[in-house]
Amino acid sequence: MLLIKNGRVIDPTSKTDSHADVLIDKGKIAKIGAGISAGDAVVLDAANCIVAPGFIDMHCHLREPGGEISETIQSGTQSAARGGFTAVCPMPNTHPVNDNASVTRAILERAAAISPVHVWPIGAASKESKGEQLSEIAAMQQAGAVAVTDDGKPIASARLLRQVMDYCRPLNLPVIDHCEDSSLAAGGVMREGPHSIRLGLKGMPAAAESICVGRDVEVASLTGARLHIAHMSARGSLEHVRNAKRRGLSVTCEVTPHHFTLIDEDVRYDSHFKMNPPLASREDRDALLEGLADGTVDAIATDHAPHHPASKDVEFDRAPFGITGFETAIALALEQLVHANRISLMRMVELFTIGPAKILGKESKLHTGAPADITIFSTERDWTYHTVESPGLSRNTPFDGRKFRGGPVATIVGGKIVYRN
Amino acid sequence: MSHRFRHLLAIEPLSREQIVFLLDQAKPFQEFQRYPLKKLATLRGKTIALTFFENSTRTRISFATAASRLGADQMNLQAEASSVKKGESLSDTVRTLEAMRPDAIVIRHSSSGAAEFVSRRVDVPVINAGDGTHEHPTQALLDALTIRDRRGHLDGIRITMIGDILHSRVARSNIHLLSKFGAHMTLCGPAMWLPRELASLAPNIRCVPCIEEALDGADAIMALRIQQERMHEPSISAEDYILQYQLTPSRVKLARRNAIVLHPGPMIRGLEIDPAVADSPQSCILEQVTNGLAIRMAILFELVAGSADPQDHAKDSSHAAD
């Protein structure tokens, strides 16, 4: 038995926000209430901490199979646990691509053996993510895939997207899209604007994203399927999602911590500022903050994208896109959203829990009888993020050395403490 | 006077005073180009690494000649024959070069920010000889020297730049440099090479697509090189470019009387500039080349030589090495 004492329990599902103890027995929540005592329980003192349902990162890259020099399922999920996540969803752009049930099963088997957190793989929408033929979508779903996407690039054409959505609708499987008009974004390495002009770096216009979101929303309307927009970064994209929601379409979206924290003006000739979608303009970033506050945005996802140091230690335009993100997500959300009084703590927890859970067809709640997947974090503890302390294999983040107020304290998965600060 | 510059990576971060200092440093070296014996011993025993990861003829020869006239030895790395072709990273290549103990690294590279990237990885001075579409600081300095010589000053000058501004590192460096002297800059070219964000680079910038309007009242005109490979992009045909933007004698007349004409080269006669303009008394194109030597000597002197006075060295050819 594990007894979490003295915490502030926040559960968006039941709109709970109260000081209570949480007793865990046999991997499930046995009791929630004030002044619980259990003589033989291991006690975890959560005084001055938030006790929340387990945080879900619905968008990450674990690189295994094929990219183990950058990250493995083991190293990545250890990093996720350290970041306060109890479940993560690896994208299918591995080598081989997760486009069939045997790869999905292999990922799940590996995760079951060594991962401290739940791994819910996302399958490829098209074979090898080439945008030509549908992958084994139903078989992957049966094996455990929770969504499909060709992430890393958009689903290649409106026609293919329609086929994928038509196929996924009866399966009630969400289709996730990395929205980018590839012809408009071609060759771009950062967001197009005054700063890209100044640095002499080729820009991708914000419209490269929003045009594709517009396309996707129309196809979602045509098919009635569930559409989820990945790592959204532009005001225009947000408007498309807002309108789609008004129209009653099943359209959701996520935003990453780096997109609601940094802007294109922060970009230097340092490949740790290179990601796709690129860091947005101040106006676009402010629109994302607005969307997080008003409910347009459904989830915060990290897009944790580890790259081996050697591959990032190159000229900016030659470096791969992407930064790591598990371990700084909670701290950045607190810094930018809660401490800045943009959203409530309840809303922040929602964005990390029932937001992604609903999209993925999972549950996320702190109820008696529910699985004991719990994230405990502090809102006040001062700490500094040092990548050298990370169990992850890559170090590609612009936040190394950044001072934070608040962050993960303990991660509990199935009643077991998998990370404790 | 030394140690004012650790590197020369870009014009944008330099102050007006630093620019004036460099232009003044170049004066004795301008004079020196006319001497019959063009060899100094100023940098005798020093080695300059010339690393050209992107094709270049005039800039490479200009730096090589500047180093040679100062008495320095050279290490040459050209992309075609370099380890980069074998897959070595820029980081490892320059560290290897540094291990051979050069006293400065001159770098040209097709990636914007490459010179800054190198400067963070080596302990010797780095000179940017053109990085992607970012900056070409020595070109801007030699342009400024040329304009200052011809017009007597740089303050408040009205300059019109014509061509592919978006992709021009020369234009960027010139904009940053001249803006520090209160210049009024008019940028002119086809719309796809003239995004409105260019106006945010510095104060007093106008983006004008019509060349006749752009040239009106200019003290200086700078035609930029058109990279012919860009003509194959979905952009503009050579015929249309000539019709709309070629610098012709009649268009030059729209500028102020005695307006000067500059071109960073290599110049394609009949495309961006009419031969009659290129060869006119208003043209400073060959002076730019000569001034390039003086500027590059001044920069090498400043970054490598230490605290000696360039006047002493330039005046006294008896210091000649060998």
Side-chain angles (χ1 to χ4, degrees), chain A residues 65-80:
Chain A
E68 290 84 351
I69 191 172
S70 300
E71 195 80 287
T72 62
I73 291 172
Q74 185 170 29
S75 68
T77 53
Q78 282 174 350
S79 174

Side-chain angles (χ1 to χ4, degrees), chain A residues 201-222:
Chain A
L201 292 172
K202 185 159 170 50
M204 301 182 217
E209 180 184 286
S210 56
I211 284 170
C212 190
V213 175
R215 176 198 79 163
D216 286 16
V217 166
E218 289 310 313
V219 179
S221 170
L222 186 67

Side-chain angles (χ1 to χ4, degrees), chain A residues 197-198 200 269 313 315 317, chain B residues 12 111-112 120-121 133 172:
Chain A
I197 296 270
R198 184 172 297 274
Y269 294 122
D313 184 26
E315 304 86 304
D317 56 357
Chain B
E12 189 179 6
S111 293
S112 298
R120 291 200 301 262
R121 285 158 178 80
T133 52
R172 269 180 190 69

Side-chain angles (χ1 to χ4, degrees), chain A residues 192-202 268-271 310 312-318, chain B residues 12 90-91 95 109-113 116-117 120-121 133-134 166 172 176 195 197-198 200-201:
Chain A
E192 182 178 299
H195 201 57
S196 71
I197 296 270
R198 184 172 297 274
L199 293 175
L201 292 172
K202 185 159 170 50
R268 307 192 297 269
Y269 294 122
D270 175 348
S271 63
K312 278 285 198 180
D313 184 26
V314 294
E315 304 86 304
F316 193 94
D317 56 357
R318 293 169 197 217
Chain B
E12 189 179 6
L90 176 62
S91 190
R95 282 186 182 128
H109 199 286
S110 59
S111 293
S112 298
E116 188 183 313
F117 177 92
R120 291 200 301 262
R121 285 158 178 80
T133 52
H134 176 224
L166 176 63
R172 269 180 190 69
H176 290 308
E197 288 91 350
L198 281 166
S200 68
L201 282 172

Side-chain angles (χ1 to χ4, degrees), chain A residues 204 346 361 392 400:
Chain A
M204 301 182 217
M346 178 71 79
D400 190 19

Side-chain angles (χ1 to χ4, degrees), chain B residues 5 18 30 46 62 64 71 118 125 136 148 174 182 184 190 203 205 258 268 288 312:
Chain B
F5 300 88
Q18 286 175 307
Q30 271 180 307
K46 303 284 188 184
S62 183
V118 169
H136 194 347
R148 194 175 76 166
N174 269 291
H184 296 270
I205 293 180
N258 298 328
I268 306 174
Q288 287 174 272
D312 298 339

